[in-house]
Amino acid sequence: MKRGARQTASDMTTVERQATMVKAGRGVLAIAATVCCLFGLAVAAPGASASLEFESTSVSVSTPGDTPILAPWGNFASVTGGTPVRDAGAHPDLTFTFKIPQAESLRDINLALPPGFVGNPTSTETCTLVDFYSPDGNRPSCPVPSQVGFVRGLNENPISGGGFGVPVFNLDHGPQVPARFGFSWLGAYVFVEPTVRPSDYGISSGSNATTQVEVVREAELTIWGVPQDPAHDPLRVKRGESSSPSELPGNPTEALPRPFLRTPTSCTEDPVAFTAEGSSWEHPDVFDVVPMTSDPEGVDFRFERCEVLPFAPKLVTSATSSAGDSPTGLAVDIDLPQNEDPYGLSTSDVRKVVTTFPKGMTVSDSSAGGLGSCSRDQIGIGSNDAPTCPDSSKLGTVTIDTPVLEDQLQGNLYLAKQNDNPFGSLLALYMAVKGPGFYLKLPGKVDLDPETGQLTTTFSDTPQLPFEHLRLELRSGPRAPLTTPRKCGTYAVKSEIVPWSGTAPVLGESSFKVTDNCSSDRFSPKLRAGTASAAAGKSSPFTLQVTREDGEQNLAALDVTLPEGLLAKLKGVPVCGDAQATSGDCPASSQVGRTTVGAGSGPNPVYVPEAGKAPTAVYLAGPYKNAPYSLVVKVPAQAGPFDLGTVAVRSGIYIDPVTTAVSVKSDRLPQILQGIPIAYRDVRVEVDRPGFMLNPTSCKGMKVTSTIAGSEGASANPSAPFAVANCDALGFKPKLAVRFSGAPTHRGGHPALKAVLTMPKGNANIGSAQVTLPKTEFLENAHIRTICTRVQYAADNCPKGSVYGFAKAWSPLLDRPLEGPVYLRSSNHTLPDLVASLDGQIHVDLDGRISSANRRIRNTFDFVPDAPVSKFVLKMQGGQKSLLVNNTELCKTKPRAAADFTAQNGKRSVSHPLVKVACGKK
């Protein structure tokens, strides 16, 4: 800004007003550095009405000046300045001089130091306020080692004379400011309190609302870089002595030299700026802002020789758990030795810390349980307001030991709100540390490898403030934010610590070991399954649960086969379209159940859905991967403060054509979402659509079987026992009707056959069936010509000539009947098998064995699936394709068949239905 430019408080930006007189110190590692301070002499010109405008300002950064030249009355005439110092990390004196017009009244004055120019108030003794307030108002009884500088009034006036000067003392301060300095000016006590700017964590020092004592047009404040240096003895004041220059004998101090001021440890191509600000009593909100980028001799404030600054940080980590695949806390310690040589160069400040965690140490899903997050408004970066982050967003604690503050700084590490953070990312961190009168708030970036979940954290552009030790402790326990690798071994946390000096970063490694509960081959998931009601033949919700222990391979895919007879009623259920199934956006009408997923290591995995979160759903979808139907499991991946989108996993529903047993084979379960590994611990599926699932009608002991794949190639086959009850309560009354037609009824004729089986509703299903034809029929061997081989049948490639009939079955579980040709298929028996290939919503093969018993043709279905069939029709061709030949005149007899049916519940039905024959009106 151009010298002398004016701004109102409302016009200034945060950066432009680095030194706005905010007394709430914004500071960081103390920075008490603060001291570099400024002071404010109260100046009031009666009747003045203009806003303040500096006539001149200057800053010098130099070695101590020569011995003062005394004028008449023993006052200063001048003080010769020292040599300019531009070494980075050096400890020079700082002198600030200003001059204002005679007619203006100074209210506030402030000097904003460039970032990295700091002071250390702990390096000198302090003066109590009791000693500071002297009885005569002009001779504080502060101890000699507490003096840190000198202030002079340069203008001549009747009261003070030319060049009157007083010592500046390092005073005791309360918990709300990092430091306090003061001097007594002709009976008025002036205090200088440094603050830490939240915009760049630089130091601003000054006085606000100065008292109006006398007219002072020009003043000079010098703060000593090393207060104990003998070069300052001529201006050092004995306890209780007058500060008049004529009475300054030069007083050495016995205190050991320690650096008080420090230049920045960064070097830039462009000069940095010291900025003076001042306002008047008449216009307190209008500031004259004057940046200064060079000293009075024109030497730019461009600091150099950063390459020689010492910098030897060390990062050490330690995990709280040595068990594999378990929640763990983590302590990160950074030690940075500080060079305290008052005549040497300071250690470079840390600019960036990058920490890369080993593969396998990832975000723990369990940590999301009860976890909150902190928004940008709540953390308030760029302000000195206390964070209002919820306690639930705390991930750990932070402590900082700095040489410039007496007390350790303490604070918290917070989880930043997803996307609502400076990086717009899924994960980010906030470090918020409370100091005396300031808050240090730093955002940390968290990068997640999308393939492995490997974590890298980066804190960039950290404050240019010295610290000796920083400790960050991530919380431990079941909800710890990290999880250890699953396999035993030694794991290294790699660090890259970058200095502000611009020299090469320091690389390091710190290791921890995983020694317990770890085995790369262990994989023994558990399976539980069953229906809510065990009543045979009744509808009931079905639940399946797969669990895995810590340390085992992750669940990767599920292949589950249900017991025979445990079926689903597909009738009336709309299916989700293929495009919708891909995204999981299926209509509610196709929903058949819901799922719950527990993920994360430790005893308390987080469950999805959480209360108040979007529900999960299981939908019935159409054909998928050669399966007639499929299931779509839709899981909104929302837990705690995280929203990882929606996961849709599709599973084919395969139906055994002989047993109608249902197998559900899932696609590979997502192992990682947006860089966060999903450690499946508990997967539950509940199919609870009313009337959808139907229990078997057999009460024999059965199992739900499975093949479960692990994430690293392992496989397991857990099973769960399954049985229903009250099978005896089911009736069993099948009814069979048989009819010959389509050919002469005389001997040698080749009739067509039609058999119709009907089953009452609510009966037990047929388990086996045997139908014996009347004695009137022989097998016509001459007509057995083309036979389908087993290979052809399996390939659905039977020759047309092998078709000898047609079958159709109606089931209350299906919208449409199953129907298809009846083949003669090669067999291990003497005669070929009679097989009905039924297609429709599903495919079923009904295998019948043709044999002869007591010179009668018998067809036996040794196995009939435990599936409800309300009606079954079998039509066998007559004439040249008939497998039957009459051995008598049918119309002269009353042929009867024999039907022997056994139910799934063990009940038996034997009947001898009369075979109907087309014999005309008679």
Side-chain angles (χ1 to χ4, degrees):
M1 179 178 294
K2 187 176 180 181
R3 188 163 189 257
R6 288 185 175 84
Q7 290 184 322
T8 66
S10 59
D11 291 335
M12 294 183 182
T13 66
T14 302
V15 175
E16 290 169 334
R17 297 204 49 218
Q18 294 175 332
T20 64
M21 315 320 292
V22 180
K23 252 189 183 180
R26 307 217 178 207
V28 67
L29 306 185
I31 325 187
T34 249
V35 101
C36 282
C37 100
L38 238 183
F39 85 103
L41 286 187
V43 200
S49 61
S51 59
L52 182 75
E53 184 173 345
F54 290 109
E55 280 191 11
S56 64
T57 59
S58 68
V59 168
S60 295
V61 179
S62 60
T63 60
D66 295 335
T67 303
I69 301 173
L70 301 182
W73 307 293
N75 294 321
F76 287 115
S78 65
V79 176
T80 304
T83 303
V85 174
R86 295 297 183 267
D87 282 348
H91 311 295
D93 291 354
L94 174 69
T95 299
F96 172 54
T97 303
F98 70 89
K99 183 177 182 180
I100 62 173
Q102 183 70 41
E104 296 185 5
S105 57
L106 178 68
R107 182 183 189 275
D108 300 328
I109 187 166
N110 192 71
L111 180 64
L113 309 178
F117 203 119
V118 297
N120 181 4
T122 69
S123 67
T124 69
E125 190 174 336
T126 59
C127 177
T128 66
L129 293 181
V130 172
D131 288 339
F132 181 65
Y133 290 118
S134 61
D136 63 3
N138 195 38
R139 299 181 181 182
S141 297
C142 292
V144 172
S146 67
Q147 185 178 349
V148 294
F150 211 84
V151 62
R152 294 191 300 151
L154 301 181
N155 58 303
E156 295 183 5
N157 59 71
I159 299 178
S160 67
F164 182 79
V166 295
V168 179
F169 296 102
N170 184 13
L171 305 178
D172 286 348
H173 61 88
Q176 295 306 314
V177 291
R180 179 181 289 125
F181 309 96
F183 54 89
S184 174
W185 187 267
L186 296 178
Y189 293 99
V190 180
F191 295 94
V192 178
E193 293 183 351
T195 62
V196 182
R197 301 187 297 270
S199 57
D200 60 5
Y201 297 108
I203 307 304
S204 296
S205 295
S207 291
N208 298 344
T210 57
T211 59
Q212 303 181 37
V213 179
E214 64 162 330
V215 176
V216 176
R217 296 182 57 244
E218 188 174 2
E220 177 187 88
L221 170 70
T222 298
I223 298 298
W224 298 331
V226 182
Q228 302 87 354
D229 193 312
H232 303 306
D233 289 351
L235 293 179
R236 209 181 307 278
V237 180
K238 285 186 177 180
R239 172 174 275 185
E241 285 189 343
S242 169
S243 57
S244 171
S246 62
E247 301 177 24
L248 291 178
N251 298 296
T253 175
E254 296 180 357
L256 295 176
R258 292 187 61 193
F260 183 73
L261 293 184
R262 190 208 70 182
T263 58
T265 61
S266 61
C267 299
T268 60
E269 293 184 3
D270 298 324
V272 297
F274 293 81
T275 303
E277 291 188 353
S279 67
S280 68
W281 280 97
E282 291 76 17
H283 301 279
D285 295 328
V286 181
F287 289 84
D288 191 20
V289 180
V290 181
M292 294 162 283
T293 58
S294 61
D295 63 15
E297 284 69 41
V299 181
D300 287 343
F301 294 124
R302 186 183 287 109
F303 295 97
E304 305 168 331
R305 299 184 67 219
C306 283
E307 68 277 4
V308 301
L309 296 182
F311 187 68
K314 184 178 181 181
L315 184 145
V316 177
T317 60
S318 57
T320 60
S321 174
S322 60
D325 192 21
S326 66
T328 184
L330 187 74
V332 179
D333 291 275
I334 300 177
D335 289 303
L336 182 59
Q338 297 291 324
N339 183 15
E340 295 293 331
D341 182 357
Y343 305 108
L345 298 180
S346 294
T347 299
S348 173
D349 294 327
V350 172
R351 181 169 189 171
K352 182 168 72 172
V353 178
V354 181
T355 307
T356 302
F357 296 89
K359 291 182 179 179
M361 173 172 265
T362 58
V363 174
S364 173
D365 304 324
S366 300
S367 66
L371 184 63
S373 62
C374 184
S375 68
R376 298 185 74 163
D377 289 341
Q378 290 170 326
I379 190 65
I381 289 179
S383 78
N384 203 41
D385 299 329
T388 58
C389 302
D391 286 343
S392 59
S393 65
K394 291 180 182 178
L395 295 178
T397 60
V398 181
T399 57
I400 300 174
D401 296 303
T402 171
V404 299
L405 290 179
E406 294 178 353
D407 298 324
Q408 183 183 70
L409 301 180
Q410 297 181 347
N412 296 299
L413 188 72
Y414 296 98
L415 175 67
K417 188 175 182 180
Q418 179 179 343
N419 302 327
D420 184 18
N421 59 67
F423 314 104
S425 59
L426 170 66
L427 286 180
L429 304 172
Y430 292 128
M431 185 187 298
V433 178
K434 176 71 172 68
F438 65 86
Y439 271 95
L440 168 64
K441 305 173 187 176
L442 302 177
K445 185 181 180 183
V446 179
D447 291 305
L448 297 167
D449 187 296
E451 300 296 329
T452 66
Q454 186 175 20
L455 285 161
T456 301
T457 62
T458 304
F459 284 89
S460 299
D461 293 327
T462 56
Q464 299 185 55
L465 302 166
F467 71 89
E468 296 167 316
H469 180 76
L470 182 148
R471 182 177 178 84
L472 187 152
E473 287 188 81
L474 294 176
R475 69 186 184 198
S476 58
R479 297 296 186 191
L482 298 177
T483 185
T484 57
R486 188 174 59 81
K487 298 181 180 180
C488 288
T490 300
Y491 295 88
V493 178
K494 297 182 179 181
S495 61
E496 178 184 349
I497 304 179
V498 181
W500 272 102
S501 62
T503 56
V506 174
L507 306 179
E509 284 191 6
S510 177
S511 299
F512 65 92
K513 292 184 177 181
V514 175
T515 57
D516 306 320
N517 192 39
C518 44
S519 172
S520 59
D521 299 326
R522 190 152 56 93
F523 187 63
S524 56
K526 304 296 186 295
L527 175 69
R528 297 178 181 85
T531 51
S533 170
K538 303 298 182 182
S539 177
S540 175
F542 172 78
T543 301
L544 178 139
Q545 180 184 27
V546 178
T547 57
R548 175 188 67 87
E549 296 297 324
D550 284 340
E552 297 182 355
Q553 293 185 25
N554 199 24
L555 302 178
L558 308 179
D559 182 349
V560 178
T561 299
L562 304 183
E564 296 174 11
L566 183 58
L567 303 173
K569 185 178 181 179
L570 302 175
K571 185 175 183 179
V573 182
V575 296
C576 177
D578 193 63
Q580 294 170 307
T582 302
S583 63
D585 296 325
C586 296
S589 59
S590 64
Q591 183 173 349
V592 297
R594 49 202 171 92
T595 187
T596 302
V597 178
S601 57
N604 298 323
V606 63
Y607 281 88
V608 177
E610 290 183 316
K613 300 289 186 179
T616 61
V618 178
Y619 300 99
L620 180 67
Y624 183 65
K625 292 186 176 180
N626 298 321
Y629 286 90
S630 59
L631 289 178
V632 177
V633 178
K634 179 182 179 182
V635 181
Q638 301 170 0
F642 302 121
D643 185 349
L644 305 182
T646 299
V647 177
V649 178
R650 201 165 179 183
S651 304
I653 301 177
Y654 299 86
I655 301 173
D656 188 291
V658 176
T659 66
T660 68
V662 176
S663 295
V664 180
K665 299 180 181 181
S666 76
D667 285 346
R668 186 172 177 85
L669 304 179
Q671 298 295 296
I672 190 167
L673 295 175
Q674 298 186 42
I676 296 183
I678 309 301
Y680 298 99
R681 291 287 306 284
D682 188 347
V683 177
R684 305 177 192 180
V685 177
E686 183 176 5
V687 182
D688 58 358
R689 184 184 181 105
F692 186 71
M693 294 298 295
L694 188 68
N695 276 332
T697 61
S698 170
C699 286
K700 67 181 180 181
M702 294 180 281
K703 291 182 179 180
V704 178
T705 60
S706 70
T707 298
I708 300 178
S711 58
E712 297 179 31
S715 181
N717 301 101
S719 62
F722 181 90
V724 294
N726 300 324
C727 291
D728 289 343
L730 298 175
F732 186 62
K733 294 183 178 180
K735 183 179 180 181
L736 178 67
V738 182
R739 180 183 181 88
F740 291 144
S741 63
T745 60
H746 57 73
R747 180 176 177 170
H750 298 90
L753 179 146
K754 179 179 180 181
V756 179
L757 173 68
T758 56
M759 291 288 294
K761 184 178 180 180
N763 272 211
N765 299 322
I766 296 174
S768 63
Q770 187 176 82
V771 177
T772 304
L773 296 182
K775 294 180 180 181
T776 60
E777 304 303 315
F778 289 158
L779 183 65
E780 181 58 277
N781 290 309
H783 287 180
I784 301 177
R785 294 182 294 273
T786 306
I787 298 175
C788 183
T789 68
R790 289 180 178 272
V791 174
Q792 290 172 323
Y793 189 87
D796 194 21
N797 191 30
C798 289
K800 292 183 179 179
S802 62
V803 176
Y804 290 83
F806 184 83
K808 193 171 187 178
W810 288 259
S811 171
L813 303 183
L814 303 174
D815 293 298
R816 301 178 301 277
L818 303 179
E819 54 187 333
V822 176
Y823 298 97
L824 282 185
R825 190 186 67 186
S826 59
S827 171
N828 294 329
H829 307 105
T830 303
L831 297 173
D833 291 336
L834 189 71
V835 181
S837 179
L838 305 178
D839 273 319
Q841 290 173 265
I842 63 173
H843 179 83
V844 174
D845 291 330
L846 192 61
D847 296 353
R849 174 166 52 88
I850 302 174
S851 63
S852 174
N854 298 321
R855 303 186 69 181
R856 297 176 66 178
I857 300 172
R858 183 171 64 192
N859 197 28
T860 303
F861 295 89
D862 292 316
F863 178 85
V864 177
D866 190 0
V869 174
S870 55
K871 183 179 179 180
F872 178 80
V873 175
L874 173 66
K875 294 180 179 180
M876 298 301 296
Q877 298 182 41
Q880 295 299 314
K881 294 287 290 184
S882 176
L883 297 177
L884 303 178
V885 58
N886 299 330
N887 60 28
T888 186
E889 172 58 53
L890 298 182
C891 292
K892 293 182 178 180
T893 184
K894 294 182 177 180
R896 286 185 178 272
D900 188 347
F901 296 99
T902 301
Q904 294 284 345
N905 63 356
K907 292 183 178 182
R908 188 179 178 191
S909 173
V910 178
S911 63
H912 297 83
L914 180 66
V915 178
K916 294 183 179 181
V917 180
C919 293
K921 293 183 180 181
K922 292 182 179 180

